Amino acid sequence: MNVKRSCGDILWQVEETKLKNQEAYVRTPVREMWTHPLPSGWGVRAATRDDVAGIVEMMNARTQAFYGENQSTPHDVEVWWSSPRFELEKDVRLVLDRRGSVAGLASVDNPGEPYARIDCSAVVHPQYADLADLWDGLYAWGLRRTRELVPLAAPEIRVSAECIAMSEDGARRAALERAGFAAVRVANHMGIALAAPIPVAEWPERVSVRTVDLERDLPAIVRLFLESWRDHWGFVGRPFDQALADWRAGIEADGDRFDATLWFLAVEGHEVVGISLCNPHIADDATRGYVQGLGVRPAWRKRGVALALLRHTFAEFRRRGYAGVELDMDSQNLTGALRVYERAGMHVMRQSVSYEMELRAGIDLATRGLET
């Protein structure tokens, strides 16, 4: 296996481990030695494309344990691994149990400019959730990889590592706190059942709704996203060209699963003033739709655009036979979006907690409050 390192060649420690039904070679760079004890016969290595099924099984075992549902698919992992700047051999580490099954995973997301907030995550199979050394080793590896990205940020910028944990996931939350993360925010996962008819969307004067024409509309959508999310807690702006390229790459990676007829634009004349960008299903559940992004340009807020977009979205999903629609949002949203979602008939289904660790002090580019 060839691994590119900017610092040149490094030595490898090779441990040959006999696993049930297979031979596995566990290769760990000396400078990335696993620092926490593991049970006898377990190993650590970089992920490969052949690991997708095992990773999905491990992730779904965890969401099944908490919510009784699968929330990951092989397609989701493949889209994740096709994202710009992602390097599989550098950004993911697996821990395998003595059977060769995925017991845990650590991953780091290279966010691109300005490198102010870097996602550092770990997941452990529920049958091993009580192994503190497993959790701690995964986060220790993840933080080492995260710190390699810190110099890419301008020297005056504050850089932090971040991770999200389900509120019920006590083992993961305890591991984050042991690693030095602090809880900073709570997010709501909200939903609405579509059994009853949806109230008709009432649009402000001169505002109407249509579906997307990607060739024409994508730059306007990305600009609206960067503008409307600027006053959402924790948001970090990015260069427009980089954001546009990332969106295009994500749509291309989504392939046949991308449904342009579920991207709704509120427009005034030729100007896009609001968006409701939806996925046709959650994981493999074709009975539930998902609103991935809802936003309204600041100058058009408080005119009913967001509520009209939600009602239009719900009515279209209901027309197609869906049982419900779900979305995620900051529980203390600075713009008061929670009131809009509740007025549209949504309710909180569960919550997650955002954790953060400062890696380098400096100018904080993340939104923490509204400008007055």
Side-chain angles (χ1 to χ4, degrees):
M1 177 173 62
N2 294 322
V3 179
K4 295 180 180 178
R5 297 282 178 178
S6 60
C7 60
D9 294 337
I10 60 178
L11 298 174
W12 292 86
Q13 173 176 299
V14 182
E15 176 190 355
E16 180 175 351
T17 306
K18 177 73 175 179
L19 300 178
K20 185 177 180 181
N21 299 326
Q22 71 177 71
E23 294 285 333
Y25 288 86
V26 180
R27 297 175 180 266
T28 306
V30 170
R31 72 186 187 96
E32 292 183 354
M33 287 287 291
W34 191 258
T35 55
H36 292 71
L38 292 172
S40 175
W42 288 35
V44 183
R45 63 167 171 79
T48 72
R49 300 283 171 179
D50 294 333
D51 293 313
V52 170
I55 290 170
V56 170
E57 188 280 329
M58 183 265 295
M59 290 180 168
N60 282 336
R62 197 150 190 84
T63 57
Q64 282 286 347
F66 288 109
Y67 305 130
E69 64 180 37
N70 293 337
Q71 293 183 0
S72 300
T73 67
H75 176 79
D76 296 331
V77 175
E78 289 160 3
V79 169
W80 164 29
W81 287 2
S82 67
S83 61
R85 298 172 299 278
F86 179 80
E87 299 180 75
L88 183 56
E89 72 276 10
K90 289 185 178 182
D91 295 335
V92 177
R93 281 298 178 274
L94 301 182
V95 175
L96 306 180
D97 65 17
R98 62 177 53 89
R99 300 168 301 168
S101 299
V102 179
L105 173 151
S107 65
V108 173
D109 175 44
N110 183 332
E113 294 290 344
Y115 294 97
R117 303 186 74 193
I118 304 170
D119 184 81
C120 174
S121 185
V123 185
V124 168
H125 197 288
Q127 68 179 312
Y128 302 126
D130 60 346
L131 297 182
D133 283 324
L134 174 55
W135 283 106
D136 296 347
L138 289 167
Y139 277 115
W141 179 89
L143 286 168
R144 285 196 297 274
R145 172 58 182 148
T146 300
R147 289 189 174 96
E148 293 179 354
L149 302 178
V150 172
L152 298 176
E156 70 275 10
I157 291 175
R158 177 183 187 268
V159 181
S160 63
E162 59 179 1
C163 185
I164 297 174
M166 297 175 284
S167 59
E168 302 91 344
D169 196 344
R172 189 185 213 175
R173 296 180 65 181
L176 283 162
E177 291 169 8
R178 289 195 303 271
F181 286 82
V184 293
R185 207 70 172 177
V186 174
N188 291 333
H189 184 83
M190 305 188 72
I192 182 173
L194 301 179
I198 304 299
V200 175
E202 297 181 4
W203 297 97
E205 186 179 358
R206 296 189 301 277
V207 175
S208 59
V209 66
R210 62 173 173 83
T211 53
V212 69
D213 177 339
L214 278 180
E215 186 73 21
R216 175 184 63 182
D217 296 323
L218 190 58
I221 290 170
V222 174
R223 291 188 190 280
L224 186 149
F225 172 83
L226 294 173
E227 179 184 1
S228 64
W229 261 260
R230 190 179 301 150
D231 51 12
H232 286 57
W233 190 93
F235 178 74
V236 174
R238 297 186 294 157
F240 171 76
D241 288 345
Q242 175 183 283
L244 180 60
D246 287 355
W247 280 60
R248 282 178 171 152
I251 292 169
E252 181 178 357
D254 212 20
D256 293 341
R257 295 219 177 183
F258 175 72
D259 186 348
T261 67
L262 288 172
W263 275 29
F264 306 113
L265 310 183
V267 296
E268 184 171 323
H270 297 293
E271 187 168 10
V272 179
V273 302
I275 54 175
S276 175
L277 312 180
C278 307
N279 291 339
H281 45 73
I282 297 175
D284 280 331
D285 185 350
T287 70
R288 296 178 295 158
Y290 184 75
V291 181
Q292 190 168 13
L294 182 85
V296 176
R297 293 184 62 188
W300 276 264
R301 289 177 184 161
K302 302 187 184 302
R303 294 171 55 184
V305 175
L307 180 60
L309 275 168
L310 282 170
R311 287 178 171 169
H312 178 84
T313 297
F314 299 159
E316 178 59 21
F317 272 115
R318 188 174 188 272
R319 186 188 69 80
R320 298 186 185 197
Y322 282 73
V325 177
E326 300 173 19
L327 56 76
D328 290 279
M329 57 88 60
D330 176 15
S331 67
Q332 298 170 277
N333 184 278
L334 301 174
T335 64
L338 179 59
R339 294 189 297 272
V340 178
Y341 294 133
E342 291 175 334
R343 187 179 173 191
M346 305 195 81
H347 66 279
V348 177
M349 301 173 64
R350 55 182 179 264
Q351 292 186 315
S352 59
V353 183
S354 294
Y355 284 81
E356 187 176 78
M357 178 197 295
E358 183 174 88
L359 301 177
R360 189 183 73 189
I363 300 170
D364 191 357
L365 299 184
T367 300
R368 304 293 178 179
L370 294 180
E371 296 182 0
T372 57

